[in-house]
Coordinates of all heavy atoms in Angstrom, one line a residue:
M13 N -17.0 -14.5 -77.6 CA -16.0 -15.5 -77.4 C -16.5 -16.9 -77.9 O -17.7 -17.1 -77.8 CB -15.6 -15.6 -75.9 CG -14.9 -14.4 -75.4 SD -14.5 -14.2 -73.7 CE -13.8 -15.8 -73.3
P14 N -15.6 -17.7 -78.5 CA -16.1 -18.9 -79.1 C -16.6 -19.9 -78.1 O -16.1 -19.9 -77.0 CB -14.8 -19.5 -79.8 CG -13.9 -18.4 -79.9 CD -14.2 -17.4 -78.8
V15 N -17.5 -20.8 -78.5 CA -18.0 -21.9 -77.7 C -17.7 -23.2 -78.3 O -18.0 -23.4 -79.5 CB -19.5 -21.7 -77.4 CG1 -20.1 -22.9 -76.7 CG2 -19.9 -20.4 -76.7
I16 N -17.1 -24.1 -77.5 CA -16.9 -25.5 -78.0 C -18.0 -26.4 -77.4 O -18.1 -26.4 -76.2 CB -15.5 -26.1 -77.6 CG1 -14.4 -25.1 -78.0 CG2 -15.3 -27.4 -78.2 CD1 -13.0 -25.7 -77.5
N17 N -18.7 -27.0 -78.3 CA -19.7 -28.0 -77.8 C -19.0 -29.4 -77.9 O -18.7 -29.9 -79.0 CB -20.9 -28.0 -78.7 CG -22.0 -28.9 -78.3 OD1 -21.7 -29.9 -77.7 ND2 -23.2 -28.7 -78.8
F18 N -18.7 -30.0 -76.8 CA -18.1 -31.3 -76.7 C -19.3 -32.3 -76.8 O -19.8 -32.9 -75.8 CB -17.3 -31.5 -75.4 CG -16.1 -30.6 -75.4 CD1 -16.2 -29.3 -74.8 CD2 -14.9 -31.1 -75.9 CE1 -15.0 -28.5 -74.8 CE2 -13.7 -30.3 -75.8 CZ -13.8 -29.0 -75.3
H19 N -19.7 -32.6 -78.0 CA -20.8 -33.5 -78.3 C -20.5 -34.9 -77.8 O -19.5 -35.4 -78.0 CB -21.1 -33.5 -79.8 CG -22.3 -34.3 -80.1 ND1 -23.6 -33.8 -79.9 CD2 -22.5 -35.5 -80.7 CE1 -24.5 -34.7 -80.3 NE2 -23.8 -35.7 -80.8
G20 N -21.5 -35.5 -77.1 CA -21.3 -36.8 -76.5 C -21.1 -36.7 -75.0 O -21.4 -37.6 -74.3
L21 N -20.5 -35.6 -74.6 CA -20.3 -35.3 -73.2 C -21.3 -34.4 -72.6 O -21.5 -34.3 -71.4 CB -18.9 -34.7 -72.9 CG -17.7 -35.6 -73.3 CD1 -16.4 -34.8 -73.1 CD2 -17.7 -36.8 -72.5
G22 N -22.1 -33.7 -73.5 CA -23.1 -32.7 -73.0 C -22.4 -31.5 -72.4 O -23.0 -30.9 -71.4
I23 N -21.3 -31.1 -72.8 CA -20.5 -30.0 -72.2 C -20.3 -28.9 -73.3 O -19.8 -29.2 -74.4 CB -19.2 -30.5 -71.6 CG1 -19.4 -31.5 -70.5 CG2 -18.4 -29.3 -71.1 CD1 -18.2 -32.2 -70.0
K24 N -20.6 -27.7 -72.9 CA -20.3 -26.5 -73.8 C -19.4 -25.6 -73.0 O -19.7 -25.3 -71.8 CB -21.5 -25.8 -74.2 CG -22.4 -26.6 -75.1 CD -23.6 -25.8 -75.5 CE -24.5 -26.6 -76.4 NZ -25.8 -25.9 -76.8
I25 N -18.3 -25.2 -73.6 CA -17.3 -24.3 -72.9 C -17.0 -23.1 -73.7 O -16.6 -23.3 -74.9 CB -16.0 -25.1 -72.5 CG1 -16.4 -26.2 -71.5 CG2 -15.0 -24.2 -71.9 CD1 -15.2 -27.2 -71.2
T26 N -17.1 -22.0 -73.1 CA -16.6 -20.7 -73.7 C -15.1 -20.6 -73.6 O -14.6 -20.8 -72.5 CB -17.3 -19.5 -73.1 OG1 -18.7 -19.7 -73.2 CG2 -16.9 -18.2 -73.8
C27 N -14.4 -20.3 -74.7 CA -13.0 -20.3 -74.6 C -12.5 -18.9 -75.2 O -13.2 -18.2 -75.7 CB -12.4 -21.4 -75.3 SG -12.8 -21.5 -77.1
D28 N -11.2 -18.8 -75.1 CA -10.5 -17.6 -75.6 C -10.3 -17.7 -77.2 O -10.1 -18.8 -77.6 CB -9.2 -17.3 -75.0 CG -9.3 -16.9 -73.5 OD1 -10.4 -16.3 -73.2 OD2 -8.4 -17.1 -72.8
F29 N -10.4 -16.7 -77.9 CA -10.2 -16.6 -79.3 C -8.7 -17.1 -79.5 O -7.8 -16.5 -79.0 CB -10.4 -15.2 -79.8 CG -10.5 -15.0 -81.2 CD1 -11.6 -15.3 -81.9 CD2 -9.4 -14.5 -81.9 CE1 -11.7 -15.1 -83.3 CE2 -9.4 -14.3 -83.3 CZ -10.6 -14.6 -84.0
G30 N -8.6 -18.1 -80.4 CA -7.2 -18.6 -80.7 C -6.7 -19.7 -79.8 O -5.6 -20.2 -80.1
E31 N -7.4 -20.1 -78.8 CA -7.0 -21.2 -78.0 C -7.0 -22.5 -78.8 O -7.9 -22.6 -79.7 CB -7.9 -21.4 -76.7 CG -7.4 -20.6 -75.5 CD -8.2 -21.0 -74.3 OE1 -9.4 -20.8 -74.3 OE2 -7.6 -21.5 -73.3
T32 N -6.2 -23.5 -78.4 CA -6.4 -24.8 -79.1 C -7.4 -25.6 -78.4 O -7.7 -25.4 -77.2 CB -5.0 -25.6 -79.1 OG1 -4.7 -25.9 -77.8 CG2 -3.9 -24.8 -79.8
I33 N -8.0 -26.5 -79.1 CA -9.0 -27.4 -78.5 C -8.3 -28.2 -77.4 O -8.9 -28.4 -76.3 CB -9.5 -28.4 -79.6 CG1 -10.3 -27.6 -80.6 CG2 -10.4 -29.5 -78.9 CD1 -10.8 -28.4 -81.8
F34 N -7.1 -28.6 -77.6 CA -6.3 -29.3 -76.5 C -6.2 -28.5 -75.3 O -6.5 -29.0 -74.2 CB -4.9 -29.7 -77.1 CG -4.1 -30.5 -76.2 CD1 -4.2 -31.9 -76.2 CD2 -3.2 -29.9 -75.3 CE1 -3.4 -32.7 -75.4 CE2 -2.4 -30.7 -74.4 CZ -2.5 -32.1 -74.5
E35 N -5.9 -27.2 -75.4 CA -5.7 -26.4 -74.2 C -7.0 -26.3 -73.4 O -7.1 -26.4 -72.2 CB -5.3 -25.0 -74.6 CG -3.8 -24.9 -75.1 CD -3.5 -23.6 -75.8 OE1 -4.4 -22.9 -76.3 OE2 -2.3 -23.4 -75.9
V36 N -8.1 -26.1 -74.2 CA -9.4 -25.9 -73.5 C -9.8 -27.2 -72.8 O -10.3 -27.2 -71.7 CB -10.5 -25.5 -74.6 CG1 -11.9 -25.5 -73.9 CG2 -10.1 -24.2 -75.2
A37 N -9.5 -28.4 -73.5 CA -9.9 -29.7 -72.9 C -9.1 -29.9 -71.6 O -9.6 -30.3 -70.6 CB -9.6 -30.8 -73.9
M38 N -7.8 -29.6 -71.7 CA -6.9 -29.9 -70.5 C -7.4 -29.0 -69.3 O -7.4 -29.4 -68.2 CB -5.5 -29.6 -70.8 CG -4.9 -30.7 -71.8 SD -4.9 -32.4 -71.2 CE -6.0 -33.1 -72.4
K39 N -7.6 -27.7 -69.6 CA -8.0 -26.8 -68.5 C -9.3 -27.1 -67.9 O -9.5 -26.8 -66.7 CB -8.1 -25.3 -69.1 CG -6.9 -24.6 -69.4 CD -7.0 -23.1 -69.6 CE -8.1 -22.6 -70.4 NZ -7.9 -21.2 -70.8
N40 N -10.2 -27.8 -68.6 CA -11.5 -28.1 -68.1 C -11.7 -29.6 -67.8 O -12.8 -30.1 -67.6 CB -12.5 -27.6 -69.1 CG -12.6 -26.1 -69.2 OD1 -13.1 -25.5 -68.3 ND2 -11.9 -25.5 -70.2
S41 N -10.6 -30.4 -67.7 CA -10.6 -31.8 -67.4 C -11.5 -32.6 -68.3 O -12.2 -33.5 -67.9 CB -11.1 -32.0 -65.9 OG -10.2 -31.3 -65.0
I42 N -11.5 -32.2 -69.6 CA -12.2 -33.0 -70.6 C -11.4 -34.2 -71.0 O -10.2 -34.0 -71.3 CB -12.5 -32.1 -71.8 CG1 -13.3 -30.9 -71.5 CG2 -13.2 -32.9 -72.9 CD1 -14.7 -31.1 -71.1
P43 N -11.9 -35.4 -70.9 CA -11.0 -36.5 -71.3 C -10.6 -36.5 -72.8 O -11.5 -36.5 -73.7 CB -11.9 -37.8 -71.0 CG -13.3 -37.2 -71.0 CD -13.3 -35.8 -70.6
L44 N -9.4 -36.5 -73.0 CA -8.9 -36.4 -74.4 C -7.6 -37.2 -74.5 O -6.6 -37.0 -73.8 CB -8.5 -34.9 -74.8 CG -8.2 -34.6 -76.2 CD1 -9.3 -34.9 -77.2 CD2 -7.7 -33.2 -76.4
A45 N -7.6 -38.2 -75.4 CA -6.5 -39.1 -75.6 C -5.2 -38.3 -76.0 O -5.3 -37.4 -76.9 CB -6.8 -40.2 -76.6
E46 N -4.1 -38.6 -75.5 CA -2.8 -38.0 -75.9 C -1.7 -38.8 -75.3 O -1.9 -39.4 -74.2 CB -2.8 -36.5 -75.6 CG -2.9 -36.2 -74.1 CD -1.5 -36.3 -73.4 OE1 -0.5 -36.3 -74.1 OE2 -1.5 -36.3 -72.2
S47 N -0.6 -38.8 -75.9 CA 0.6 -39.4 -75.3 C 1.9 -38.6 -75.6 O 3.0 -39.1 -75.4 CB 0.8 -40.9 -75.7 OG 1.1 -41.0 -77.1
C48 N 1.7 -37.4 -76.1 CA 2.9 -36.6 -76.4 C 2.8 -35.2 -75.8 O 3.6 -34.3 -76.0 CB 3.1 -36.4 -77.9 SG 1.9 -35.3 -78.7
G49 N 1.7 -35.0 -74.9 CA 1.6 -33.7 -74.2 C 1.2 -32.6 -75.1 O 1.5 -31.4 -74.8
G50 N 0.6 -32.8 -76.3 CA 0.3 -31.7 -77.2 C 1.4 -31.3 -78.1 O 1.3 -30.1 -78.6
E51 N 2.3 -32.1 -78.3 CA 3.5 -31.8 -79.2 C 3.3 -32.1 -80.6 O 4.3 -32.1 -81.4 CB 4.8 -32.4 -78.6 CG 5.2 -31.9 -77.2 CD 5.5 -30.4 -77.2 OE1 6.1 -29.9 -78.2 OE2 5.2 -29.7 -76.3
K52 N 2.1 -32.5 -81.0 CA 1.8 -32.8 -82.4 C 2.6 -34.0 -83.0 O 3.1 -34.0 -84.1 CB 2.0 -31.6 -83.3 CG 1.3 -30.4 -82.8 CD 1.6 -29.2 -83.7 CE 1.2 -27.9 -82.9 NZ 1.8 -26.7 -83.5
V53 N 2.8 -35.0 -82.1 CA 3.6 -36.2 -82.5 C 2.8 -37.5 -82.5 O 2.9 -38.3 -83.4 CB 4.8 -36.3 -81.5 CG1 5.6 -37.6 -81.8 CG2 5.7 -35.1 -81.6
C54 N 1.9 -37.7 -81.5 CA 1.3 -39.0 -81.3 C 0.1 -39.2 -82.2 O -0.2 -40.3 -82.5 CB 0.9 -39.2 -79.8 SG -0.4 -38.1 -79.2
G55 N -0.7 -38.2 -82.4 CA -1.9 -38.3 -83.2 C -3.1 -38.8 -82.5 O -4.2 -39.0 -83.0
H56 N -2.9 -39.0 -81.2 CA -4.0 -39.6 -80.4 C -5.1 -38.6 -80.0 O -6.2 -39.0 -79.6 CB -3.5 -40.2 -79.1 CG -2.6 -41.4 -79.3 ND1 -1.7 -41.8 -78.3 CD2 -2.3 -42.1 -80.4 CE1 -1.0 -42.9 -78.8 NE2 -1.4 -43.0 -80.0
C57 N -4.8 -37.3 -80.2 CA -5.8 -36.3 -79.8 C -6.8 -36.0 -81.0 O -7.4 -34.9 -81.0 CB -5.1 -35.0 -79.4 SG -4.2 -34.2 -80.7
R58 N -6.9 -36.9 -81.9 CA -7.8 -36.8 -83.0 C -9.2 -36.5 -82.6 O -9.8 -37.2 -81.8 CB -7.8 -38.1 -83.8 CG -8.7 -38.1 -85.0 CD -8.8 -39.5 -85.6 NE -7.6 -40.1 -86.0 CZ -7.4 -40.8 -87.1 NH1 -8.4 -41.1 -87.9 NH2 -6.3 -41.4 -87.4
I59 N -9.8 -35.5 -83.2 CA -11.2 -35.2 -82.9 C -12.0 -35.1 -84.2 O -11.3 -34.8 -85.3 CB -11.4 -33.9 -82.0 CG1 -10.7 -32.7 -82.6 CG2 -10.9 -34.1 -80.6 CD1 -11.6 -31.8 -83.5
T60 N -13.3 -35.3 -84.2 CA -14.1 -35.1 -85.4 C -14.9 -33.8 -85.2 O -15.5 -33.6 -84.2 CB -15.1 -36.3 -85.5 OG1 -14.3 -37.5 -85.6 CG2 -15.9 -36.2 -86.8
V61 N -14.9 -33.0 -86.3 CA -15.6 -31.8 -86.3 C -17.0 -32.0 -86.9 O -17.1 -32.4 -88.0 CB -14.9 -30.7 -87.1 CG1 -15.7 -29.4 -87.0 CG2 -13.5 -30.5 -86.5
I62 N -18.1 -31.8 -86.1 CA -19.4 -32.0 -86.5 C -20.0 -30.7 -87.2 O -20.6 -30.8 -88.3 CB -20.4 -32.4 -85.4 CG1 -19.9 -33.7 -84.7 CG2 -21.8 -32.5 -85.8 CD1 -20.5 -34.0 -83.4
H63 N -19.7 -29.6 -86.6 CA -20.1 -28.3 -87.1 C -19.0 -27.2 -86.8 O -18.3 -27.3 -85.8 CB -21.4 -27.7 -86.5 CG -22.6 -28.5 -86.8 ND1 -23.1 -28.7 -88.1 CD2 -23.5 -29.1 -86.0 CE1 -24.2 -29.4 -88.0 NE2 -24.4 -29.7 -86.8
G64 N -18.8 -26.3 -87.8 CA -18.0 -25.1 -87.5 C -16.5 -25.3 -87.9 O -15.7 -24.6 -87.4
I65 N -16.3 -26.2 -88.8 CA -14.9 -26.4 -89.2 C -14.3 -25.1 -89.8 O -13.1 -24.9 -89.8 CB -14.7 -27.6 -90.2 CG1 -13.3 -28.1 -90.2 CG2 -15.3 -27.2 -91.6 CD1 -13.1 -29.5 -90.8
E66 N -15.2 -24.3 -90.4 CA -14.7 -23.0 -90.9 C -14.2 -22.0 -89.9 O -13.6 -21.0 -90.1 CB -15.8 -22.3 -91.8 CG -17.0 -21.8 -91.0 CD -18.0 -22.9 -90.6 OE1 -17.8 -24.1 -90.8 OE2 -19.1 -22.6 -90.1
N67 N -14.5 -22.3 -88.6 CA -14.1 -21.5 -87.5 C -12.8 -21.9 -86.8 O -12.5 -21.4 -85.8 CB -15.2 -21.4 -86.4 CG -16.5 -20.8 -86.9 OD1 -16.4 -19.9 -87.8 ND2 -17.6 -21.2 -86.5
L68 N -12.2 -22.9 -87.5 CA -10.9 -23.4 -86.9 C -9.7 -23.0 -87.8 O -9.9 -22.7 -89.0 CB -11.0 -24.9 -86.9 CG -12.1 -25.5 -86.1 CD1 -12.1 -27.0 -86.2 CD2 -11.9 -25.1 -84.6
S69 N -8.5 -22.9 -87.2 CA -7.3 -22.6 -87.9 C -7.1 -23.7 -89.0 O -7.5 -24.8 -88.9 CB -6.1 -22.6 -87.0 OG -6.0 -23.9 -86.3
E70 N -6.4 -23.2 -90.1 CA -6.0 -24.2 -91.1 C -4.9 -25.1 -90.6 O -4.1 -24.6 -89.8 CB -5.5 -23.4 -92.3 CG -6.6 -22.7 -93.1 CD -7.5 -23.6 -93.8 OE1 -7.1 -24.6 -94.4 OE2 -8.7 -23.4 -93.8
P71 N -4.9 -26.3 -91.0 CA -3.8 -27.2 -90.6 C -2.5 -26.7 -91.0 O -2.3 -26.3 -92.1 CB -4.1 -28.5 -91.2 CG -5.5 -28.5 -91.6 CD -5.8 -27.0 -91.9
E72 N -1.5 -26.7 -90.1 CA -0.1 -26.3 -90.4 C 0.6 -27.5 -91.0 O 0.1 -28.6 -90.9 CB 0.5 -25.8 -89.1 CG -0.1 -24.5 -88.6 CD 0.5 -24.0 -87.4 OE1 1.5 -24.5 -86.9 OE2 0.0 -23.0 -86.8
P73 N 1.8 -27.3 -91.5 CA 2.5 -28.4 -92.2 C 2.7 -29.6 -91.4 O 2.5 -30.8 -91.8 CB 3.8 -27.8 -92.6 CG 3.5 -26.3 -92.8 CD 2.4 -26.0 -91.8
D74 N 3.1 -29.5 -90.1 CA 3.3 -30.6 -89.2 C 2.0 -31.4 -89.0 O 2.0 -32.6 -88.9 CB 4.0 -30.3 -87.9 CG 3.4 -29.1 -87.2 OD1 2.4 -28.5 -87.7 OD2 3.9 -28.9 -86.1
E75 N 0.9 -30.7 -88.8 CA -0.4 -31.3 -88.6 C -0.8 -32.0 -89.9 O -1.3 -33.2 -89.9 CB -1.5 -30.3 -88.2 CG -2.8 -31.1 -87.9 CD -4.0 -30.2 -87.6 OE1 -3.8 -28.9 -87.7 OE2 -5.1 -30.7 -87.2
R76 N -0.6 -31.4 -91.1 CA -1.0 -32.0 -92.3 C -0.2 -33.3 -92.5 O -0.8 -34.3 -93.0 CB -0.7 -31.1 -93.5 CG -1.6 -30.0 -93.7 CD -1.4 -29.3 -95.0 NE -2.2 -28.0 -95.1 CZ -3.5 -28.0 -95.3 NH1 -4.2 -29.1 -95.5 NH2 -4.1 -26.8 -95.3
K77 N 1.0 -33.3 -92.2 CA 1.9 -34.5 -92.3 C 1.3 -35.7 -91.5 O 1.1 -36.8 -91.9 CB 3.3 -34.2 -91.9 CG 4.3 -35.3 -92.1 CD 5.7 -34.8 -91.8 CE 6.7 -35.9 -91.9 NZ 6.9 -36.7 -90.8
L78 N 1.0 -35.4 -90.2 CA 0.5 -36.4 -89.3 C -0.9 -36.8 -89.7 O -1.3 -38.0 -89.7 CB 0.4 -35.8 -87.9 CG 0.3 -36.8 -86.7 CD1 1.4 -37.9 -86.8 CD2 0.5 -36.1 -85.4
M79 N -1.8 -35.9 -90.2 CA -3.1 -36.2 -90.7 C -3.0 -37.2 -91.9 O -3.8 -38.1 -92.0 CB -3.8 -35.0 -91.1 CG -4.2 -34.1 -90.0 SD -4.8 -32.4 -90.5 CE -6.4 -32.8 -91.3
A80 N -2.0 -37.0 -92.7 CA -1.8 -37.9 -93.9 C -1.4 -39.3 -93.4 O -1.9 -40.3 -93.9 CB -0.9 -37.3 -94.9
E81 N -0.4 -39.3 -92.5 CA 0.1 -40.6 -92.0 C -0.9 -41.4 -91.3 O -1.0 -42.6 -91.4 CB 1.3 -40.3 -91.0 CG 2.6 -39.8 -91.6 CD 3.6 -39.4 -90.6 OE1 3.4 -39.6 -89.4 OE2 4.6 -38.8 -91.0
K82 N -1.8 -40.7 -90.6 CA -2.9 -41.4 -89.8 C -4.2 -41.5 -90.6 O -5.2 -42.0 -90.0 CB -3.1 -40.6 -88.5 CG -1.9 -40.4 -87.6 CD -1.6 -41.6 -86.8 CE -0.4 -41.3 -85.8 NZ 0.0 -42.5 -85.1
R83 N -4.2 -41.1 -91.8 CA -5.4 -41.2 -92.7 C -6.6 -40.5 -92.1 O -7.7 -41.2 -92.0 CB -5.6 -42.7 -93.0 CG -4.5 -43.3 -93.8 CD -4.8 -44.8 -94.0 NE -3.7 -45.5 -94.6 CZ -3.4 -45.5 -95.9 NH1 -4.2 -45.0 -96.7 NH2 -2.4 -46.2 -96.3
F84 N -6.4 -39.3 -91.7 CA -7.6 -38.5 -91.1 C -8.6 -38.3 -92.3 O -8.2 -38.1 -93.4 CB -7.1 -37.2 -90.6 CG -6.5 -37.2 -89.2 CD1 -5.9 -38.3 -88.7 CD2 -6.6 -36.0 -88.4 CE1 -5.4 -38.3 -87.4 CE2 -6.1 -36.0 -87.1 CZ -5.5 -37.1 -86.6
S85 N -9.9 -38.2 -91.9 CA -10.9 -37.8 -92.8 C -10.8 -36.2 -92.9 O -10.2 -35.6 -92.0 CB -12.3 -38.2 -92.3 OG -12.3 -39.6 -92.2
E86 N -11.6 -35.7 -93.8 CA -11.5 -34.2 -94.0 C -12.1 -33.4 -92.8 O -11.7 -32.3 -92.6 CB -12.3 -33.8 -95.2 CG -11.6 -34.1 -96.5 CD -12.3 -33.5 -97.7 OE1 -13.1 -32.7 -97.6 OE2 -11.9 -34.0 -98.8
N87 N -12.9 -34.1 -92.0 CA -13.5 -33.4 -90.8 C -12.8 -33.8 -89.5 O -13.4 -33.6 -88.4 CB -15.0 -33.7 -90.7 CG -15.3 -35.1 -90.5 OD1 -14.5 -36.0 -90.8 ND2 -16.5 -35.4 -90.0
E88 N -11.6 -34.4 -89.6 CA -10.9 -34.8 -88.4 C -9.7 -33.8 -88.3 O -9.1 -33.5 -89.3 CB -10.4 -36.2 -88.5 CG -11.6 -37.2 -88.4 CD -11.1 -38.7 -88.4 OE1 -10.2 -39.0 -89.3 OE2 -11.6 -39.4 -87.6
R89 N -9.3 -33.5 -87.0 CA -8.2 -32.6 -86.8 C -7.5 -33.1 -85.5 O -8.0 -33.9 -84.7 CB -8.7 -31.2 -86.5 CG -9.4 -30.5 -87.7 CD -8.5 -30.2 -88.8 NE -7.3 -29.4 -88.4 CZ -7.3 -28.1 -88.4 NH1 -8.4 -27.4 -88.8 NH2 -6.3 -27.4 -88.0
L90 N -6.3 -32.6 -85.3 CA -5.5 -32.8 -84.1 C -6.0 -31.7 -83.1 O -5.8 -30.5 -83.4 CB -4.0 -32.6 -84.3 CG -3.3 -33.7 -85.1 CD1 -1.8 -33.3 -85.2 CD2 -3.4 -35.0 -84.4
A91 N -6.5 -32.1 -82.0 CA -6.9 -31.1 -81.0 C -5.8 -30.1 -80.6 O -6.0 -29.0 -80.3 CB -7.5 -31.8 -79.8
C92 N -4.5 -30.7 -80.5 CA -3.4 -29.9 -80.0 C -2.9 -28.9 -81.0 O -2.2 -28.0 -80.7 CB -2.3 -30.8 -79.5 SG -1.5 -31.7 -80.8
S93 N -3.3 -29.0 -82.3 CA -2.8 -28.1 -83.3 C -3.9 -27.2 -83.8 O -3.6 -26.3 -84.6 CB -2.3 -29.0 -84.5 OG -1.8 -28.2 -85.5
T94 N -5.1 -27.4 -83.4 CA -6.3 -26.7 -84.0 C -6.7 -25.5 -83.1 O -7.1 -25.8 -81.9 CB -7.4 -27.7 -84.2 OG1 -7.0 -28.7 -85.0 CG2 -8.6 -27.0 -84.9
R95 N -6.7 -24.3 -83.6 CA -7.1 -23.1 -82.9 C -8.5 -22.7 -83.2 O -9.0 -22.9 -84.3 CB -6.1 -22.0 -83.1 CG -4.7 -22.3 -82.7 CD -3.8 -21.1 -82.7 NE -2.5 -21.5 -82.2 CZ -2.2 -21.6 -80.9 NH1 -3.1 -21.3 -80.0 NH2 -1.0 -22.0 -80.5
I96 N -9.2 -22.2 -82.2 CA -10.6 -21.9 -82.3 C -10.9 -20.4 -82.5 O -10.4 -19.6 -81.7 CB -11.4 -22.4 -81.0 CG1 -11.0 -23.8 -80.7 CG2 -12.9 -22.3 -81.2 CD1 -11.0 -24.2 -79.3
Y97 N -11.6 -20.1 -83.6 CA -11.9 -18.7 -83.8 C -13.4 -18.4 -83.9 O -13.9 -17.3 -84.3 CB -11.2 -18.3 -85.1 CG -9.7 -18.3 -85.0 CD1 -9.0 -19.4 -85.6 CD2 -9.1 -17.4 -84.3 CE1 -7.7 -19.4 -85.5 CE2 -7.7 -17.5 -84.1 CZ -7.0 -18.5 -84.7 OH -5.6 -18.6 -84.6
G98 N -14.2 -19.4 -83.6 CA -15.7 -19.3 -83.6 C -16.3 -20.6 -83.1 O -15.6 -21.5 -82.7
D99 N -17.6 -20.6 -83.0 CA -18.3 -21.8 -82.4 C -18.1 -23.0 -83.2 O -18.0 -23.0 -84.4 CB -19.8 -21.5 -82.3 CG -20.2 -20.4 -81.4 OD1 -19.3 -19.9 -80.7 OD2 -21.3 -19.9 -81.4
V100 N -17.9 -24.1 -82.4 CA -17.6 -25.4 -83.1 C -18.2 -26.5 -82.2 O -18.4 -26.4 -81.0 CB -16.1 -25.6 -83.2 CG1 -15.4 -25.7 -81.9 CG2 -15.8 -26.8 -84.1
K101 N -18.6 -27.6 -82.9 CA -19.1 -28.8 -82.2 C -18.2 -30.0 -82.6 O -18.1 -30.2 -83.8 CB -20.6 -29.1 -82.7 CG -21.2 -30.3 -82.0 CD -22.6 -30.5 -82.7 CE -23.7 -30.7 -81.6 NZ -25.0 -30.9 -82.3
I102 N -17.7 -30.6 -81.6 CA -16.7 -31.7 -81.9 C -17.1 -33.0 -81.2 O -17.9 -32.9 -80.2 CB -15.3 -31.3 -81.6 CG1 -15.2 -31.0 -80.0 CG2 -14.9 -30.1 -82.4 CD1 -13.7 -30.8 -79.6
T103 N -16.5 -34.1 -81.6 CA -16.7 -35.3 -80.8 C -15.5 -36.2 -81.1 O -14.6 -35.9 -81.8 CB -18.0 -36.1 -81.3 OG1 -18.3 -37.1 -80.3 CG2 -17.9 -36.6 -82.7
T104 N -15.5 -37.4 -80.4 CA -14.4 -38.4 -80.6 C -15.2 -39.7 -80.6 O -16.4 -39.8 -80.3 CB -13.4 -38.4 -79.5 OG1 -14.0 -38.9 -78.3 CG2 -12.8 -37.1 -79.2
S105 N -14.4 -40.8 -80.8 CA -15.0 -42.1 -80.8 C -15.3 -42.6 -79.4 O -16.1 -43.6 -79.2 CB -14.1 -43.1 -81.6 OG -12.9 -43.2 -80.9
Y106 N -14.7 -42.0 -78.4 CA -14.8 -42.5 -77.0 C -15.7 -41.6 -76.1 O -15.7 -41.9 -74.9 CB -13.4 -42.8 -76.5 CG -12.5 -41.6 -76.6 CD1 -12.4 -40.6 -75.7 CD2 -11.6 -41.6 -77.7 CE1 -11.5 -39.6 -75.8 CE2 -10.7 -40.5 -77.9 CZ -10.7 -39.5 -76.9 OH -9.8 -38.5 -77.1
W107 N -16.3 -40.6 -76.6 CA -17.2 -39.8 -75.7 C -18.6 -40.3 -75.7 O -19.1 -40.7 -76.7 CB -17.2 -38.3 -76.1 CG -15.9 -37.6 -75.8 CD1 -14.9 -38.0 -75.0 CD2 -15.5 -36.3 -76.4 NE1 -13.8 -37.1 -75.0 CE2 -14.2 -36.0 -75.9 CE3 -16.0 -35.4 -77.3 CZ2 -13.5 -34.9 -76.2 CZ3 -15.3 -34.3 -77.6 CH2 -14.1 -34.0 -77.1
Ligands
FES221 S1 -1.6 -34.7 -78.2 FE1 -0.2 -35.8 -79.4 S2 -0.6 -35.2 -81.4 FE2 -2.0 -34.0 -80.2

């Protein structure tokens, strides 16, 4: 099962294959900015991938659109849109 390393918080969580980062964060009371409840609208759940970006789902069209509007870097993703298929290390600007 994949492990998410929430770098900066010192927390590693084993999750289900295909869960979103947002789902894992909410279930485990990880502080994650959001104002749309994970509906891929607000862009506040932006996370930076430190390692393991190849273990994440490819951005879907709605995520790509928001990433372009919000000027995401190549290693930034929406936590609510990103599914986990292997180990990953992520962070945010506020952890
Ligand atoms: S929670 Fe709003 S875009 Fe992810």
Side-chain angles (χ1 to χ4, degrees):
M13 293 179 44
V15 174
I16 307 179
N17 180 338
F18 293 89
H19 185 71
L21 296 175
I23 297 171
K24 293 180 182 177
I25 295 173
T26 301
C27 62
D28 290 333
F29 193 78
E31 269 190 297
T32 66
I33 294 170
F34 184 88
E35 290 168 339
V36 177
M38 293 299 117
K39 282 196 319 196
N40 292 282
S41 302
I42 303 289
L44 186 65
E46 61 86 15
S47 65
C48 73
E51 294 296 323
K52 305 173 197 168
V53 175
C54 70
H56 296 164
C57 66
R58 177 192 302 219
I59 54 94
T60 301
V61 182
I62 299 170
H63 292 300
I65 201 162
E66 69 278 8
N67 293 329
L68 300 174
S69 58
E70 289 292 317
E72 295 179 5
D74 50 355
E75 183 183 8
R76 282 193 193 284
K77 183 171 179 279
L78 200 52
M79 290 167 71
E81 288 172 7
K82 304 277 185 185
R83 299 177 185 272
F84 278 29
S85 302
E86 286 189 13
N87 64 339
E88 292 181 316
R89 297 291 304 273
L90 289 178
C92 66
S93 183
T94 304
R95 297 190 178 279
I96 308 149
Y97 296 106
D99 295 352
V100 66
K101 183 186 228 181
I102 63 171
T103 193
T104 68
S105 60
Y106 49 87
W107 289 344

